[in-house]
Amino acid sequence: MIVYLRLLGESFSFAMNALRNNKLRTLLSLLGVTIGIFSIIAVLAAVDSLDRKITKDLSSLDKNTIYLFKDSFAPTDVPSWKRDQFPNVKYEEYLYLKGAMSNLDEMAYQIFTKPETLKYESKTMSSINVVPVSYEFIDIQGLEFQEGRFYNESESNAGTQVVVIGDEIAKNFFGGTDPIGKGIRMYGQRFTVIGVLKKQGSAESMGPSNDVSAFIPVIFLRRLYSENNKMLTNVIIVKPVKGVDMDAFKAELTQKLRNFRGLKAGDDDNFFINVFSGLTNFIDGIISQMNMAGWVISIFSLLVGGFGVANIMFVSVKERTNLIGIQKSLGAKNKFILFQFLFEAVILCVIGGIIGMLMVWFLLLVLTKVLEFEFVLGFGNIVLGAGLAAGIGLISGLLPAISASRLDPVEAIRSGI
């Protein structure tokens, strides 16, 4: 055992000396591996960061939550021209289903509308995400408050001009003063601030951040616009009780809405029941495809790096043929020569891999600051990068190392004379 450890140590020492003595060749060899590892780890880290962000954004929602409206989350066989003819879900349908459905925990009504401009005294904020929803939305979404409250059932049903604003809106309009009870203007009318949400951060939200959102009673917008307005998308959000049979629940929901709309037995559904778990599965599929695309793109860089290392190692064997002959004549075994060149290739690639991962870490650090998006280089990707680098070195250096170990000592010495 001690003999093998000494053999490994001496082989490692010879490899390091060879790398130090051939700095330009070492640098050129490092370049290919560094670019290959940088490419694949950068892609995987970016995809992992996106996956982590989406998972965190959606963690507050029950996976059985249903979004009932005229469009589908996932790809569908229904052609786009037919989907365009589907009617918007209506407030009356929301009220009917809320009273008719069994095994129902909560149901809310939301209208997706265009961004608006908010004003407070002489201050103005544009492109604010206005969220008109019914009062049950807070129980489904799980909003957290910095101060104040969400509007109640009577305020929601009456369309009272009250508003819950995000942290960034509160800071821009009111600074350090108390915003509760203050009036801001949108849609040309005055709304009273009754609540301020906790800071969410743009890096922690999928879609518009709550920090730049304003929540108002949906009835107000229904009075302002027709529900059939093509600029609006109406959604009924359904949260069934826990442990319910989802297939039976969706079947009941489908039948109730079909009956309300007067659809006959042979008519197709003119709405979609989108289960939240279906959206997460769809997103997971996209993430997997992105990972696969990253591997396919990066594998070419790894191949180029591997071929470069193999070529350099063959050159190294050629240059040191005389030295190999001398080592063998003094009693060096084939294993010693094999390990010497194999270690040189592996060490070379591992150093290149470490440099590549440091470049990824620095790039992600810069992008996190610039884009306000939390990019993370996970421990798993670090281990993967190191493993790939060592694997490239092992494969690329194997043939040159074997050819060096099989050289005849006499011929090797003669070739260097």
PDB file of all heavy atoms in Angstrom, residues 191-224:
ATOM      1  N   PHE A 191     -58.959  56.846  -4.301  1.00  0.00           N
ATOM      2  CA  PHE A 191     -59.034  55.599  -3.548  1.00  0.00           C
ATOM      3  C   PHE A 191     -58.333  55.793  -2.199  1.00  0.00           C
ATOM      4  O   PHE A 191     -57.250  56.397  -2.129  1.00  0.00           O
ATOM      5  CB  PHE A 191     -58.344  54.455  -4.303  1.00  0.00           C
ATOM      6  CG  PHE A 191     -59.128  53.922  -5.464  1.00  0.00           C
ATOM      7  CD1 PHE A 191     -59.206  54.633  -6.658  1.00  0.00           C
ATOM      8  CD2 PHE A 191     -59.798  52.708  -5.367  1.00  0.00           C
ATOM      9  CE1 PHE A 191     -59.930  54.143  -7.728  1.00  0.00           C
ATOM     10  CE2 PHE A 191     -60.521  52.208  -6.437  1.00  0.00           C
ATOM     11  CZ  PHE A 191     -60.586  52.933  -7.625  1.00  0.00           C
ATOM     12  N   THR A 192     -58.931  55.268  -1.156  1.00  0.00           N
ATOM     13  CA  THR A 192     -58.354  55.383   0.183  1.00  0.00           C
ATOM     14  C   THR A 192     -57.466  54.176   0.471  1.00  0.00           C
ATOM     15  O   THR A 192     -57.899  53.023   0.308  1.00  0.00           O
ATOM     16  CB  THR A 192     -59.462  55.461   1.250  1.00  0.00           C
ATOM     17  OG1 THR A 192     -60.302  56.580   0.968  1.00  0.00           O
ATOM     18  CG2 THR A 192     -58.855  55.614   2.643  1.00  0.00           C
ATOM     19  N   VAL A 193     -56.232  54.419   0.892  1.00  0.00           N
ATOM     20  CA  VAL A 193     -55.294  53.339   1.216  1.00  0.00           C
ATOM     21  C   VAL A 193     -55.688  52.716   2.556  1.00  0.00           C
ATOM     22  O   VAL A 193     -55.778  53.421   3.566  1.00  0.00           O
ATOM     23  CB  VAL A 193     -53.844  53.864   1.287  1.00  0.00           C
ATOM     24  CG1 VAL A 193     -52.890  52.744   1.691  1.00  0.00           C
ATOM     25  CG2 VAL A 193     -53.430  54.475  -0.036  1.00  0.00           C
ATOM     26  N   ILE A 194     -55.931  51.405   2.562  1.00  0.00           N
ATOM     27  CA  ILE A 194     -56.293  50.715   3.810  1.00  0.00           C
ATOM     28  C   ILE A 194     -55.266  49.665   4.217  1.00  0.00           C
ATOM     29  O   ILE A 194     -55.364  49.090   5.302  1.00  0.00           O
ATOM     30  CB  ILE A 194     -57.681  50.042   3.686  1.00  0.00           C
ATOM     31  CG1 ILE A 194     -57.670  48.990   2.573  1.00  0.00           C
ATOM     32  CG2 ILE A 194     -58.777  51.073   3.472  1.00  0.00           C
ATOM     33  CD1 ILE A 194     -58.924  48.128   2.543  1.00  0.00           C
ATOM     34  N   GLY A 195     -54.292  49.398   3.341  1.00  0.00           N
ATOM     35  CA  GLY A 195     -53.282  48.388   3.677  1.00  0.00           C
ATOM     36  C   GLY A 195     -52.040  48.515   2.820  1.00  0.00           C
ATOM     37  O   GLY A 195     -52.099  48.992   1.686  1.00  0.00           O
ATOM     38  N   VAL A 196     -50.896  48.093   3.402  1.00  0.00           N
ATOM     39  CA  VAL A 196     -49.627  48.059   2.682  1.00  0.00           C
ATOM     40  C   VAL A 196     -49.028  46.669   2.849  1.00  0.00           C
ATOM     41  O   VAL A 196     -48.898  46.161   3.967  1.00  0.00           O
ATOM     42  CB  VAL A 196     -48.634  49.118   3.220  1.00  0.00           C
ATOM     43  CG1 VAL A 196     -47.302  49.020   2.476  1.00  0.00           C
ATOM     44  CG2 VAL A 196     -49.221  50.510   3.110  1.00  0.00           C
ATOM     45  N   LEU A 197     -48.682  46.039   1.732  1.00  0.00           N
ATOM     46  CA  LEU A 197     -48.132  44.682   1.773  1.00  0.00           C
ATOM     47  C   LEU A 197     -46.662  44.693   2.162  1.00  0.00           C
ATOM     48  O   LEU A 197     -45.957  45.672   1.949  1.00  0.00           O
ATOM     49  CB  LEU A 197     -48.286  44.015   0.406  1.00  0.00           C
ATOM     50  CG  LEU A 197     -49.710  43.839  -0.116  1.00  0.00           C
ATOM     51  CD1 LEU A 197     -49.677  43.259  -1.518  1.00  0.00           C
ATOM     52  CD2 LEU A 197     -50.520  42.943   0.807  1.00  0.00           C
ATOM     53  N   LYS A 198     -46.207  43.581   2.715  1.00  0.00           N
ATOM     54  CA  LYS A 198     -44.789  43.420   3.033  1.00  0.00           C
ATOM     55  C   LYS A 198     -43.980  43.412   1.744  1.00  0.00           C
ATOM     56  O   LYS A 198     -44.451  42.973   0.704  1.00  0.00           O
ATOM     57  CB  LYS A 198     -44.550  42.110   3.792  1.00  0.00           C
ATOM     58  CG  LYS A 198     -44.940  42.172   5.261  1.00  0.00           C
ATOM     59  CD  LYS A 198     -44.523  40.883   5.973  1.00  0.00           C
ATOM     60  CE  LYS A 198     -44.868  40.941   7.457  1.00  0.00           C
ATOM     61  NZ  LYS A 198     -44.487  39.682   8.144  1.00  0.00           N
ATOM     62  N   LYS A 199     -42.728  43.887   1.858  1.00  0.00           N
ATOM     63  CA  LYS A 199     -41.845  43.929   0.696  1.00  0.00           C
ATOM     64  C   LYS A 199     -41.611  42.518   0.173  1.00  0.00           C
ATOM     65  O   LYS A 199     -41.312  41.602   0.919  1.00  0.00           O
ATOM     66  CB  LYS A 199     -40.508  44.576   1.071  1.00  0.00           C
ATOM     67  CG  LYS A 199     -39.536  44.705  -0.103  1.00  0.00           C
ATOM     68  CD  LYS A 199     -38.270  45.435   0.313  1.00  0.00           C
ATOM     69  CE  LYS A 199     -37.282  45.516  -0.838  1.00  0.00           C
ATOM     70  NZ  LYS A 199     -37.817  46.243  -2.011  1.00  0.00           N
ATOM     71  N   GLN A 200     -41.772  42.355  -1.125  1.00  0.00           N
ATOM     72  CA  GLN A 200     -41.571  41.057  -1.764  1.00  0.00           C
ATOM     73  C   GLN A 200     -40.270  41.015  -2.545  1.00  0.00           C
ATOM     74  O   GLN A 200     -39.534  40.042  -2.475  1.00  0.00           O
ATOM     75  CB  GLN A 200     -42.744  40.745  -2.702  1.00  0.00           C
ATOM     76  CG  GLN A 200     -42.642  39.388  -3.372  1.00  0.00           C
ATOM     77  CD  GLN A 200     -43.776  39.144  -4.358  1.00  0.00           C
ATOM     78  OE1 GLN A 200     -44.208  40.059  -5.037  1.00  0.00           O
ATOM     79  NE2 GLN A 200     -44.257  37.931  -4.422  1.00  0.00           N
ATOM     80  N   GLY A 201     -39.974  42.065  -3.276  1.00  0.00           N
ATOM     81  CA  GLY A 201     -38.767  42.086  -4.096  1.00  0.00           C
ATOM     82  C   GLY A 201     -39.030  41.510  -5.467  1.00  0.00           C
ATOM     83  O   GLY A 201     -39.681  40.475  -5.610  1.00  0.00           O
ATOM     84  N   SER A 202     -38.509  42.158  -6.504  1.00  0.00           N
ATOM     85  CA  SER A 202     -38.736  41.702  -7.876  1.00  0.00           C
ATOM     86  C   SER A 202     -38.079  40.369  -8.133  1.00  0.00           C
ATOM     87  O   SER A 202     -38.505  39.604  -8.988  1.00  0.00           O
ATOM     88  CB  SER A 202     -38.214  42.737  -8.877  1.00  0.00           C
ATOM     89  OG  SER A 202     -36.823  42.949  -8.683  1.00  0.00           O
ATOM     90  N   ALA A 203     -36.984  40.055  -7.376  1.00  0.00           N
ATOM     91  CA  ALA A 203     -36.272  38.794  -7.580  1.00  0.00           C
ATOM     92  C   ALA A 203     -37.021  37.619  -6.986  1.00  0.00           C
ATOM     93  O   ALA A 203     -36.618  36.483  -7.129  1.00  0.00           O
ATOM     94  CB  ALA A 203     -34.874  38.878  -6.959  1.00  0.00           C
ATOM     95  N   GLU A 204     -38.121  37.887  -6.274  1.00  0.00           N
ATOM     96  CA  GLU A 204     -38.846  36.813  -5.622  1.00  0.00           C
ATOM     97  C   GLU A 204     -40.261  36.656  -6.166  1.00  0.00           C
ATOM     98  O   GLU A 204     -41.111  36.042  -5.532  1.00  0.00           O
ATOM     99  CB  GLU A 204     -38.902  37.078  -4.105  1.00  0.00           C
ATOM    100  CG  GLU A 204     -37.536  37.136  -3.450  1.00  0.00           C
ATOM    101  CD  GLU A 204     -37.634  37.442  -1.975  1.00  0.00           C
ATOM    102  OE1 GLU A 204     -38.775  37.565  -1.489  1.00  0.00           O
ATOM    103  OE2 GLU A 204     -36.588  37.546  -1.310  1.00  0.00           O
ATOM    104  N   SER A 205     -40.541  37.252  -7.296  1.00  0.00           N
ATOM    105  CA  SER A 205     -41.894  37.179  -7.821  1.00  0.00           C
ATOM    106  C   SER A 205     -41.894  36.682  -9.247  1.00  0.00           C
ATOM    107  O   SER A 205     -40.993  36.959 -10.014  1.00  0.00           O
ATOM    108  CB  SER A 205     -42.549  38.568  -7.773  1.00  0.00           C
ATOM    109  OG  SER A 205     -41.858  39.453  -8.613  1.00  0.00           O
ATOM    110  N   MET A 206     -42.914  35.891  -9.581  1.00  0.00           N
ATOM    111  CA  MET A 206     -43.114  35.474 -10.966  1.00  0.00           C
ATOM    112  C   MET A 206     -44.177  36.383 -11.547  1.00  0.00           C
ATOM    113  O   MET A 206     -45.316  36.380 -11.113  1.00  0.00           O
ATOM    114  CB  MET A 206     -43.552  34.009 -11.028  1.00  0.00           C
ATOM    115  CG  MET A 206     -43.583  33.469 -12.447  1.00  0.00           C
ATOM    116  SD  MET A 206     -43.989  31.718 -12.540  1.00  0.00           S
ATOM    117  CE  MET A 206     -45.728  31.744 -12.148  1.00  0.00           C
ATOM    118  N   GLY A 207     -43.815  37.174 -12.544  1.00  0.00           N
ATOM    119  CA  GLY A 207     -44.721  38.178 -13.052  1.00  0.00           C
ATOM    120  C   GLY A 207     -44.513  39.470 -12.272  1.00  0.00           C
ATOM    121  O   GLY A 207     -43.516  39.653 -11.583  1.00  0.00           O
ATOM    122  N   PRO A 208     -45.478  40.404 -12.368  1.00  0.00           N
ATOM    123  CA  PRO A 208     -45.339  41.681 -11.655  1.00  0.00           C
ATOM    124  C   PRO A 208     -45.238  41.465 -10.151  1.00  0.00           C
ATOM    125  O   PRO A 208     -45.987  40.687  -9.559  1.00  0.00           O
ATOM    126  CB  PRO A 208     -46.628  42.429 -12.028  1.00  0.00           C
ATOM    127  CG  PRO A 208     -47.110  41.779 -13.283  1.00  0.00           C
ATOM    128  CD  PRO A 208     -46.697  40.346 -13.178  1.00  0.00           C
ATOM    129  N   SER A 209     -44.310  42.159  -9.533  1.00  0.00           N
ATOM    130  CA  SER A 209     -44.125  42.036  -8.085  1.00  0.00           C
ATOM    131  C   SER A 209     -45.269  42.716  -7.349  1.00  0.00           C
ATOM    132  O   SER A 209     -45.827  43.723  -7.809  1.00  0.00           O
ATOM    133  CB  SER A 209     -42.794  42.668  -7.690  1.00  0.00           C
ATOM    134  OG  SER A 209     -42.680  42.766  -6.292  1.00  0.00           O
ATOM    135  N   ASN A 210     -45.606  42.183  -6.173  1.00  0.00           N
ATOM    136  CA  ASN A 210     -46.615  42.829  -5.331  1.00  0.00           C
ATOM    137  C   ASN A 210     -46.159  44.202  -4.872  1.00  0.00           C
ATOM    138  O   ASN A 210     -46.982  45.027  -4.462  1.00  0.00           O
ATOM    139  CB  ASN A 210     -46.932  41.957  -4.114  1.00  0.00           C
ATOM    140  CG  ASN A 210     -47.788  40.759  -4.471  1.00  0.00           C
ATOM    141  OD1 ASN A 210     -48.437  40.732  -5.515  1.00  0.00           O
ATOM    142  ND2 ASN A 210     -47.807  39.759  -3.606  1.00  0.00           N
ATOM    143  N   ASP A 211     -44.843  44.459  -4.918  1.00  0.00           N
ATOM    144  CA  ASP A 211     -44.326  45.762  -4.486  1.00  0.00           C
ATOM    145  C   ASP A 211     -44.831  46.888  -5.367  1.00  0.00           C
ATOM    146  O   ASP A 211     -44.903  48.039  -4.924  1.00  0.00           O
ATOM    147  CB  ASP A 211     -42.793  45.755  -4.508  1.00  0.00           C
ATOM    148  CG  ASP A 211     -42.200  44.793  -3.499  1.00  0.00           C
ATOM    149  OD1 ASP A 211     -42.934  44.367  -2.584  1.00  0.00           O
ATOM    150  OD2 ASP A 211     -41.011  44.457  -3.617  1.00  0.00           O
ATOM    151  N   VAL A 212     -45.153  46.589  -6.629  1.00  0.00           N
ATOM    152  CA  VAL A 212     -45.662  47.615  -7.550  1.00  0.00           C
ATOM    153  C   VAL A 212     -47.081  47.258  -7.984  1.00  0.00           C
ATOM    154  O   VAL A 212     -47.479  47.501  -9.123  1.00  0.00           O
ATOM    155  CB  VAL A 212     -44.735  47.780  -8.773  1.00  0.00           C
ATOM    156  CG1 VAL A 212     -43.438  48.447  -8.377  1.00  0.00           C
ATOM    157  CG2 VAL A 212     -44.455  46.444  -9.451  1.00  0.00           C
ATOM    158  N   SER A 213     -47.850  46.664  -7.076  1.00  0.00           N
ATOM    159  CA  SER A 213     -49.230  46.274  -7.372  1.00  0.00           C
ATOM    160  C   SER A 213     -50.198  47.017  -6.457  1.00  0.00           C
ATOM    161  O   SER A 213     -49.853  47.382  -5.334  1.00  0.00           O
ATOM    162  CB  SER A 213     -49.422  44.762  -7.186  1.00  0.00           C
ATOM    163  OG  SER A 213     -48.642  44.034  -8.111  1.00  0.00           O
ATOM    164  N   ALA A 214     -51.397  47.231  -6.984  1.00  0.00           N
ATOM    165  CA  ALA A 214     -52.463  47.874  -6.219  1.00  0.00           C
ATOM    166  C   ALA A 214     -53.706  47.003  -6.325  1.00  0.00           C
ATOM    167  O   ALA A 214     -54.194  46.732  -7.427  1.00  0.00           O
ATOM    168  CB  ALA A 214     -52.735  49.272  -6.747  1.00  0.00           C
ATOM    169  N   PHE A 215     -54.236  46.543  -5.190  1.00  0.00           N
ATOM    170  CA  PHE A 215     -55.392  45.655  -5.149  1.00  0.00           C
ATOM    171  C   PHE A 215     -56.638  46.474  -4.844  1.00  0.00           C
ATOM    172  O   PHE A 215     -56.688  47.211  -3.841  1.00  0.00           O
ATOM    173  CB  PHE A 215     -55.191  44.577  -4.082  1.00  0.00           C
ATOM    174  CG  PHE A 215     -54.036  43.647  -4.358  1.00  0.00           C
ATOM    175  CD1 PHE A 215     -52.727  44.028  -4.088  1.00  0.00           C
ATOM    176  CD2 PHE A 215     -54.261  42.392  -4.892  1.00  0.00           C
ATOM    177  CE1 PHE A 215     -51.667  43.178  -4.353  1.00  0.00           C
ATOM    178  CE2 PHE A 215     -53.198  41.529  -5.158  1.00  0.00           C
ATOM    179  CZ  PHE A 215     -51.899  41.933  -4.889  1.00  0.00           C
ATOM    180  N   ILE A 216     -57.645  46.327  -5.716  1.00  0.00           N
ATOM    181  CA  ILE A 216     -58.899  47.067  -5.542  1.00  0.00           C
ATOM    182  C   ILE A 216     -60.076  46.103  -5.678  1.00  0.00           C
ATOM    183  O   ILE A 216     -59.942  45.033  -6.280  1.00  0.00           O
ATOM    184  CB  ILE A 216     -59.034  48.200  -6.578  1.00  0.00           C
ATOM    185  CG1 ILE A 216     -59.061  47.632  -8.006  1.00  0.00           C
ATOM    186  CG2 ILE A 216     -57.907  49.215  -6.419  1.00  0.00           C
ATOM    187  CD1 ILE A 216     -59.355  48.680  -9.084  1.00  0.00           C
ATOM    188  N   PRO A 217     -61.248  46.451  -5.125  1.00  0.00           N
ATOM    189  CA  PRO A 217     -62.434  45.588  -5.280  1.00  0.00           C
ATOM    190  C   PRO A 217     -62.801  45.412  -6.749  1.00  0.00           C
ATOM    191  O   PRO A 217     -62.825  46.376  -7.516  1.00  0.00           O
ATOM    192  CB  PRO A 217     -63.520  46.339  -4.514  1.00  0.00           C
ATOM    193  CG  PRO A 217     -62.775  47.157  -3.514  1.00  0.00           C
ATOM    194  CD  PRO A 217     -61.498  47.568  -4.205  1.00  0.00           C
ATOM    195  N   VAL A 218     -63.095  44.172  -7.132  1.00  0.00           N
ATOM    196  CA  VAL A 218     -63.360  43.870  -8.535  1.00  0.00           C
ATOM    197  C   VAL A 218     -64.649  44.529  -9.028  1.00  0.00           C
ATOM    198  O   VAL A 218     -64.786  44.825 -10.215  1.00  0.00           O
ATOM    199  CB  VAL A 218     -63.402  42.337  -8.726  1.00  0.00           C
ATOM    200  CG1 VAL A 218     -64.660  41.732  -8.132  1.00  0.00           C
ATOM    201  CG2 VAL A 218     -63.260  41.965 -10.196  1.00  0.00           C
ATOM    202  N   ILE A 219     -65.592  44.773  -8.121  1.00  0.00           N
ATOM    203  CA  ILE A 219     -66.858  45.389  -8.511  1.00  0.00           C
ATOM    204  C   ILE A 219     -66.639  46.785  -9.085  1.00  0.00           C
ATOM    205  O   ILE A 219     -67.350  47.211 -10.004  1.00  0.00           O
ATOM    206  CB  ILE A 219     -67.821  45.456  -7.309  1.00  0.00           C
ATOM    207  CG1 ILE A 219     -68.204  44.042  -6.865  1.00  0.00           C
ATOM    208  CG2 ILE A 219     -69.087  46.236  -7.659  1.00  0.00           C
ATOM    209  CD1 ILE A 219     -68.961  43.246  -7.900  1.00  0.00           C
ATOM    210  N   PHE A 220     -65.657  47.496  -8.573  1.00  0.00           N
ATOM    211  CA  PHE A 220     -65.366  48.840  -9.104  1.00  0.00           C
ATOM    212  C   PHE A 220     -65.045  48.764 -10.588  1.00  0.00           C
ATOM    213  O   PHE A 220     -65.553  49.557 -11.388  1.00  0.00           O
ATOM    214  CB  PHE A 220     -64.206  49.481  -8.343  1.00  0.00           C
ATOM    215  CG  PHE A 220     -63.740  50.768  -8.973  1.00  0.00           C
ATOM    216  CD1 PHE A 220     -64.392  51.959  -8.707  1.00  0.00           C
ATOM    217  CD2 PHE A 220     -62.669  50.781  -9.869  1.00  0.00           C
ATOM    218  CE1 PHE A 220     -63.979  53.146  -9.313  1.00  0.00           C
ATOM    219  CE2 PHE A 220     -62.256  51.955 -10.467  1.00  0.00           C
ATOM    220  CZ  PHE A 220     -62.911  53.142 -10.186  1.00  0.00           C
ATOM    221  N   LEU A 221     -64.180  47.820 -10.978  1.00  0.00           N
ATOM    222  CA  LEU A 221     -63.792  47.704 -12.383  1.00  0.00           C
ATOM    223  C   LEU A 221     -64.954  47.204 -13.231  1.00  0.00           C
ATOM    224  O   LEU A 221     -65.064  47.545 -14.406  1.00  0.00           O
ATOM    225  CB  LEU A 221     -62.577  46.787 -12.537  1.00  0.00           C
ATOM    226  CG  LEU A 221     -61.725  47.092 -13.774  1.00  0.00           C
ATOM    227  CD1 LEU A 221     -60.971  48.401 -13.583  1.00  0.00           C
ATOM    228  CD2 LEU A 221     -60.742  45.978 -14.068  1.00  0.00           C
ATOM    229  N   ARG A 222     -65.837  46.369 -12.659  1.00  0.00           N
ATOM    230  CA  ARG A 222     -67.013  45.900 -13.404  1.00  0.00           C
ATOM    231  C   ARG A 222     -67.937  47.065 -13.743  1.00  0.00           C
ATOM    232  O   ARG A 222     -68.596  47.062 -14.793  1.00  0.00           O
ATOM    233  CB  ARG A 222     -67.783  44.857 -12.596  1.00  0.00           C
ATOM    234  CG  ARG A 222     -67.083  43.528 -12.466  1.00  0.00           C
ATOM    235  CD  ARG A 222     -67.976  42.481 -11.794  1.00  0.00           C
ATOM    236  NE  ARG A 222     -69.099  42.109 -12.648  1.00  0.00           N
ATOM    237  CZ  ARG A 222     -70.379  42.289 -12.337  1.00  0.00           C
ATOM    238  NH1 ARG A 222     -70.714  42.864 -11.186  1.00  0.00           N
ATOM    239  NH2 ARG A 222     -71.328  41.917 -13.156  1.00  0.00           N
ATOM    240  N   ARG A 223     -67.997  48.040 -12.853  1.00  0.00           N
ATOM    241  CA  ARG A 223     -68.813  49.225 -13.139  1.00  0.00           C
ATOM    242  C   ARG A 223     -68.160  50.086 -14.211  1.00  0.00           C
ATOM    243  O   ARG A 223     -68.841  50.777 -14.976  1.00  0.00           O
ATOM    244  CB  ARG A 223     -69.013  50.054 -11.867  1.00  0.00           C
ATOM    245  CG  ARG A 223     -69.911  49.420 -10.830  1.00  0.00           C
ATOM    246  CD  ARG A 223     -70.456  50.463  -9.873  1.00  0.00           C
ATOM    247  NE  ARG A 223     -69.379  51.108  -9.122  1.00  0.00           N
ATOM    248  CZ  ARG A 223     -69.093  50.855  -7.849  1.00  0.00           C
ATOM    249  NH1 ARG A 223     -69.795  49.932  -7.192  1.00  0.00           N
ATOM    250  NH2 ARG A 223     -68.122  51.483  -7.242  1.00  0.00           N
ATOM    251  N   LEU A 224     -66.822  50.037 -14.272  1.00  0.00           N
ATOM    252  CA  LEU A 224     -66.084  50.885 -15.191  1.00  0.00           C
ATOM    253  C   LEU A 224     -66.058  50.313 -16.603  1.00  0.00           C
ATOM    254  O   LEU A 224     -66.162  51.042 -17.595  1.00  0.00           O
ATOM    255  CB  LEU A 224     -64.649  51.062 -14.678  1.00  0.00           C
ATOM    256  CG  LEU A 224     -63.879  52.292 -15.129  1.00  0.00           C
ATOM    257  CD1 LEU A 224     -64.580  53.567 -14.659  1.00  0.00           C
ATOM    258  CD2 LEU A 224     -62.447  52.239 -14.584  1.00  0.00           C
TER     259      LEU A 224
END
